[in-house]
Amino acid sequence: MQCPCNIKKKYSDCCQKVHQNINSVSSAEALMRSRYSAFVVANIDYLQKSHHSKTRPSKKEKRDIEKWTKSVKWLKLEVLKTTKGTTTDATGTVEFKAFFMENGSINVIHENSSFSIENNHWVYVGAKD
């Protein structure tokens, strides 16, 4: 299977490794890409683990996210801009567009996401204003 975050790579050589070991994520962009792939494969446990503890969805929200992510067809990811978020940073942002099909219509999530280091690995904090 091709990796949802980058069709030039195999899932087993890309995000699957990260999904199995979150500590191997090297940057905010890599975490964002792995989270997109987790939505595509409905790996809700990884989505929770890769979410900052202060903004992590509740158990009810987790069930709603799982139901929704399984109800849509994910189409593609476009990374537009990355600021900081490297191995020498503690924070970073990634602007992206995630395209999906829902109820016969193509939709897009366009977000500038904030990331930080928590428990020695990158986590998603939330959408930046």
mmCIF file of all heavy atoms in Angstrom, residues 3-4 10-21 24 34 37 43:
data_model
loop_
_atom_site.group_PDB
_atom_site.id
_atom_site.type_symbol
_atom_site.label_atom_id
_atom_site.label_comp_id
_atom_site.label_asym_id
_atom_site.label_seq_id
_atom_site.Cartn_x
_atom_site.Cartn_y
_atom_site.Cartn_z
ATOM 1 N N CYS A 3 1.825 5.099 0.863
ATOM 2 C CA CYS A 3 1.580 5.878 2.069
ATOM 3 C C CYS A 3 0.630 7.031 1.737
ATOM 4 O O CYS A 3 0.852 7.753 0.762
ATOM 5 C CB CYS A 3 2.881 6.426 2.654
ATOM 6 S SG CYS A 3 2.627 7.043 4.331
ATOM 7 N N PRO A 4 -0.413 7.210 2.525
ATOM 8 C CA PRO A 4 -1.340 8.313 2.265
ATOM 9 C C PRO A 4 -0.673 9.685 2.283
ATOM 10 O O PRO A 4 -1.103 10.591 1.571
ATOM 11 C CB PRO A 4 -2.354 8.200 3.411
ATOM 12 C CG PRO A 4 -2.304 6.759 3.805
ATOM 13 C CD PRO A 4 -0.867 6.357 3.623
ATOM 14 N N LYS A 10 6.072 3.736 0.306
ATOM 15 C CA LYS A 10 5.185 2.689 0.797
ATOM 16 C C LYS A 10 4.825 3.001 2.243
ATOM 17 O O LYS A 10 5.659 3.489 3.007
ATOM 18 C CB LYS A 10 5.864 1.322 0.719
ATOM 19 C CG LYS A 10 6.039 0.828 -0.687
ATOM 20 C CD LYS A 10 6.576 -0.579 -0.701
ATOM 21 C CE LYS A 10 6.671 -1.052 -2.145
ATOM 22 N NZ LYS A 10 7.075 -2.432 -2.216
ATOM 23 N N TYR A 11 3.599 2.692 2.623
ATOM 24 C CA TYR A 11 3.127 2.913 3.991
ATOM 25 C C TYR A 11 4.046 2.209 4.983
ATOM 26 O O TYR A 11 4.413 2.779 6.009
ATOM 27 C CB TYR A 11 1.681 2.427 4.115
ATOM 28 C CG TYR A 11 1.117 2.492 5.511
ATOM 29 C CD1 TYR A 11 0.915 3.716 6.157
ATOM 30 C CD2 TYR A 11 0.769 1.334 6.191
ATOM 31 C CE1 TYR A 11 0.392 3.780 7.437
ATOM 32 C CE2 TYR A 11 0.240 1.391 7.474
ATOM 33 C CZ TYR A 11 0.056 2.603 8.089
ATOM 34 O OH TYR A 11 -0.454 2.665 9.358
ATOM 35 N N SER A 12 4.469 0.996 4.657
ATOM 36 C CA SER A 12 5.325 0.227 5.574
ATOM 37 C C SER A 12 6.697 0.870 5.771
ATOM 38 O O SER A 12 7.346 0.641 6.788
ATOM 39 C CB SER A 12 5.492 -1.207 5.070
ATOM 40 O OG SER A 12 6.068 -1.216 3.775
ATOM 41 N N ASP A 13 7.145 1.687 4.823
ATOM 42 C CA ASP A 13 8.441 2.368 4.924
ATOM 43 C C ASP A 13 8.305 3.807 5.425
ATOM 44 O O ASP A 13 9.301 4.506 5.551
ATOM 45 C CB ASP A 13 9.134 2.398 3.549
ATOM 46 C CG ASP A 13 9.500 1.023 3.058
ATOM 47 O OD1 ASP A 13 9.732 0.125 3.897
ATOM 48 O OD2 ASP A 13 9.548 0.821 1.825
ATOM 49 N N CYS A 14 7.095 4.239 5.681
ATOM 50 C CA CYS A 14 6.871 5.644 6.023
ATOM 51 C C CYS A 14 6.057 5.736 7.319
ATOM 52 O O CYS A 14 6.582 5.475 8.399
ATOM 53 C CB CYS A 14 6.160 6.341 4.853
ATOM 54 S SG CYS A 14 6.109 8.144 4.946
ATOM 55 N N CYS A 15 4.802 6.063 7.211
ATOM 56 C CA CYS A 15 3.984 6.346 8.394
ATOM 57 C C CYS A 15 3.693 5.137 9.280
ATOM 58 O O CYS A 15 3.487 5.299 10.480
ATOM 59 C CB CYS A 15 2.689 7.028 7.976
ATOM 60 S SG CYS A 15 2.966 8.745 7.464
ATOM 61 N N GLN A 16 3.692 3.951 8.734
ATOM 62 C CA GLN A 16 3.437 2.784 9.574
ATOM 63 C C GLN A 16 4.498 2.671 10.669
ATOM 64 O O GLN A 16 4.179 2.370 11.818
ATOM 65 C CB GLN A 16 3.395 1.504 8.748
ATOM 66 C CG GLN A 16 3.009 0.291 9.577
ATOM 67 C CD GLN A 16 2.877 -0.967 8.752
ATOM 68 O OE1 GLN A 16 3.600 -1.169 7.780
ATOM 69 N NE2 GLN A 16 1.938 -1.809 9.122
ATOM 70 N N LYS A 17 5.746 2.952 10.327
ATOM 71 C CA LYS A 17 6.822 2.911 11.326
ATOM 72 C C LYS A 17 6.573 3.939 12.430
ATOM 73 O O LYS A 17 6.800 3.670 13.605
ATOM 74 C CB LYS A 17 8.174 3.176 10.666
ATOM 75 C CG LYS A 17 8.642 2.044 9.785
ATOM 76 C CD LYS A 17 9.983 2.353 9.156
ATOM 77 C CE LYS A 17 10.456 1.173 8.338
ATOM 78 N NZ LYS A 17 11.772 1.395 7.764
ATOM 79 N N VAL A 18 6.125 5.105 12.049
ATOM 80 C CA VAL A 18 5.841 6.165 13.010
ATOM 81 C C VAL A 18 4.626 5.799 13.865
ATOM 82 O O VAL A 18 4.610 6.028 15.068
ATOM 83 C CB VAL A 18 5.630 7.509 12.282
ATOM 84 C CG1 VAL A 18 5.209 8.599 13.242
ATOM 85 C CG2 VAL A 18 6.893 7.908 11.536
ATOM 86 N N HIS A 19 3.615 5.206 13.237
ATOM 87 C CA HIS A 19 2.424 4.793 13.978
ATOM 88 C C HIS A 19 2.777 3.763 15.046
ATOM 89 O O HIS A 19 2.127 3.697 16.088
ATOM 90 C CB HIS A 19 1.359 4.233 13.027
ATOM 91 C CG HIS A 19 0.753 5.277 12.146
ATOM 92 N ND1 HIS A 19 -0.016 4.963 11.046
ATOM 93 C CD2 HIS A 19 0.808 6.635 12.184
ATOM 94 C CE1 HIS A 19 -0.415 6.074 10.457
ATOM 95 N NE2 HIS A 19 0.077 7.105 11.130
ATOM 96 N N GLN A 20 3.818 2.985 14.800
ATOM 97 C CA GLN A 20 4.257 1.970 15.762
ATOM 98 C C GLN A 20 5.211 2.530 16.816
ATOM 99 O O GLN A 20 5.373 1.948 17.873
ATOM 100 C CB GLN A 20 4.907 0.802 15.020
ATOM 101 C CG GLN A 20 3.920 0.051 14.154
ATOM 102 C CD GLN A 20 4.568 -0.937 13.212
ATOM 103 O OE1 GLN A 20 5.772 -0.898 12.966
ATOM 104 N NE2 GLN A 20 3.768 -1.826 12.655
ATOM 105 N N ASN A 21 5.856 3.670 16.515
ATOM 106 C CA ASN A 21 6.812 4.266 17.454
ATOM 107 C C ASN A 21 6.808 5.787 17.296
ATOM 108 O O ASN A 21 7.568 6.333 16.505
ATOM 109 C CB ASN A 21 8.224 3.712 17.222
ATOM 110 C CG ASN A 21 9.243 4.314 18.158
ATOM 111 O OD1 ASN A 21 8.915 5.016 19.117
ATOM 112 N ND2 ASN A 21 10.507 4.059 17.883
ATOM 113 N N SER A 24 9.884 8.082 17.062
ATOM 114 C CA SER A 24 10.720 8.166 15.861
ATOM 115 C C SER A 24 10.370 9.372 14.985
ATOM 116 O O SER A 24 11.054 9.629 13.997
ATOM 117 C CB SER A 24 10.598 6.881 15.039
ATOM 118 O OG SER A 24 9.295 6.752 14.486
ATOM 119 N N SER A 34 2.044 12.018 9.505
ATOM 120 C CA SER A 34 1.653 10.742 10.127
ATOM 121 C C SER A 34 0.224 10.824 10.669
ATOM 122 O O SER A 34 -0.502 9.826 10.663
ATOM 123 C CB SER A 34 2.633 10.352 11.227
ATOM 124 O OG SER A 34 2.507 11.186 12.366
ATOM 125 N N SER A 37 -2.115 10.353 7.720
ATOM 126 C CA SER A 37 -2.173 8.927 7.391
ATOM 127 C C SER A 37 -3.000 8.160 8.419
ATOM 128 O O SER A 37 -3.733 7.226 8.068
ATOM 129 C CB SER A 37 -0.767 8.325 7.304
ATOM 130 O OG SER A 37 -0.088 8.853 6.182
ATOM 131 N N ASN A 43 -6.542 5.071 12.406
ATOM 132 C CA ASN A 43 -5.746 4.699 13.579
ATOM 133 C C ASN A 43 -5.995 5.751 14.660
ATOM 134 O O ASN A 43 -5.196 6.653 14.885
ATOM 135 C CB ASN A 43 -4.262 4.612 13.210
ATOM 136 C CG ASN A 43 -3.399 4.097 14.339
ATOM 137 O OD1 ASN A 43 -3.791 4.117 15.504
ATOM 138 N ND2 ASN A 43 -2.214 3.654 13.991
#
